[in-house]
């Protein structure tokens, strides 16, 4: 258990400086309540992976996950307006942009980016990309039902381009509501499947 007033991303980076691989398995928040969670599952061969979206505060959304099967290099990641995945994503619309602002980087102020601009995922030589970011403008409840796309190229963050010159989508998936971490516990029965009196005879 790690207790800190720092963000999840800062804690993970600090732990990683020890040389260990780190996977955050739980997120706290001031009220101790689930503020919302969603999952994005990419499962179009060869691209397979999962992103988790967890609202850890009213003004802070954590997006983190791993995707395999991509070409090495940088790939833009964008949230799109619609969750219609038919026709290879032809109907997902533009980037999620309720403020009607120019395209930009996720590190920009709200007025200088689309809310759906999530930046670039770095993919290593094995084809694995890892994304981990915190966003102070996004809220998970506004994203459920929309689509997330991974593009063939890096996002240039050019404000005059509607999509950062990132090219076509190589993977598209739906943002689906999910239980918060540790809120969907299962009970596992380790019995043999026999009835009670048959179990007694097995002794």
């Amino acid at each position: 258990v790690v207790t800190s007033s720092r963000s999840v991303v800062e804690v993970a980076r600090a732990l990683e400086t020890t040389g260990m691989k780190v996977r955050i398995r739980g997120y706290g928040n001031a009220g101790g309540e689930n503020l919302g969670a969603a999952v994005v599952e990419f499962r179009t061969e060869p691209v397979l992976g999962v992103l988790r979206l967890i609202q850890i505060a009213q003004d802070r959304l954590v997006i983190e996950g791993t995707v395999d099967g991509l070409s090495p290099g940088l790939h833009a990641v964008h949230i799109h307006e619609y969750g219609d995945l038919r026709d290879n994503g032809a109907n997902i619309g533009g980037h999620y942009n309720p403020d009607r602002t120019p395209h930009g980087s996720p590190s920009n102020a709200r007025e200088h980016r689309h809310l759906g601009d999530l930046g670039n995922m770095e993919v290593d030589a094995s084809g694995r990309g890892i994304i981990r970011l915190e966003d102070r403008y996004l809220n998970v409840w506004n994203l459920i039902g929309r689509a997330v796309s991974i593009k063939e190229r890096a996002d240039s963050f050019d404000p005059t381009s509607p999509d950062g010159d990132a090219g076509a989508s190589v993977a598209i998936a739906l943002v689906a509501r999910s239980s918060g971490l540790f809120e969907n516990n299962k009970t596992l029965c380790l019995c043999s499947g026999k009835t009670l009196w048959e179990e007694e005879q097995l002794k």
Side-chain angles (χ1 to χ4, degrees):
V1 176
V2 176
T3 302
S4 175
S5 60
R6 294 180 178 269
S7 72
V8 172
V9 173
E10 290 174 309
V11 169
R13 286 179 181 156
L15 292 172
E16 287 169 349
T17 62
T18 64
M20 295 185 295
K21 297 286 185 181
V22 177
R23 171 68 63 195
I24 302 295
R25 296 191 59 198
Y27 298 93
N29 61 64
E33 63 198 310
N34 174 24
L35 298 179
V39 65
V40 179
E41 183 180 0
F42 296 100
R43 50 181 179 173
T44 304
E45 294 278 1
V47 180
L48 302 171
V50 174
L51 304 184
R52 288 162 294 278
L53 292 76
I54 301 177
Q55 198 74 42
I56 61 172
Q58 294 295 343
D59 61 350
R60 195 178 305 165
L61 177 70
V62 170
I63 301 172
E64 63 103 16
T66 304
V67 182
D68 289 304
L70 297 165
S71 61
L74 295 176
H75 293 266
V77 182
H78 299 133
I79 300 170
H80 288 257
E81 287 184 285
Y82 310 119
D84 185 346
L85 305 185
R86 293 173 297 177
D87 301 323
N88 296 318
N91 305 309
I92 60 176
H95 296 175
Y96 174 54
N97 186 21
D99 300 333
R100 302 293 175 244
T101 50
H103 177 75
S105 163
S107 61
N108 290 356
R110 183 171 182 153
E111 60 270 23
H112 299 297
R113 62 171 281 202
H114 301 156
L115 289 187
D117 295 338
L118 300 185
N120 293 315
M121 174 188 293
E122 186 169 1
V123 178
D124 64 20
S126 73
R128 169 162 287 189
I130 296 174
I131 186 169
R132 182 188 292 153
L133 64 94
E134 243 180 75
D135 197 291
R136 62 187 186 275
Y137 304 122
L138 289 171
N139 186 290
V140 70
W141 298 109
N142 296 328
L143 305 181
I144 292 169
R146 302 186 190 280
V148 175
S149 71
I150 299 174
K151 302 298 174 54
E152 60 184 346
R153 297 192 296 270
D155 192 328
S156 67
F157 306 130
D158 181 354
T160 65
S161 169
D163 62 0
D165 305 308
S169 297
V170 295
I172 308 167
L174 192 68
V175 181
R177 183 181 181 274
S178 71
S179 299
L181 288 173
F182 307 117
E183 289 194 345
N184 192 15
N185 296 325
K186 301 291 190 300
T187 300
L188 175 64
C189 175
L190 298 178
C191 61
S192 69
K194 301 283 188 181
T195 60
L196 181 59
W197 51 88
E198 289 173 326
E199 287 279 358
E200 291 176 345
Q201 292 172 9
L202 294 174
K203 292 179 181 177

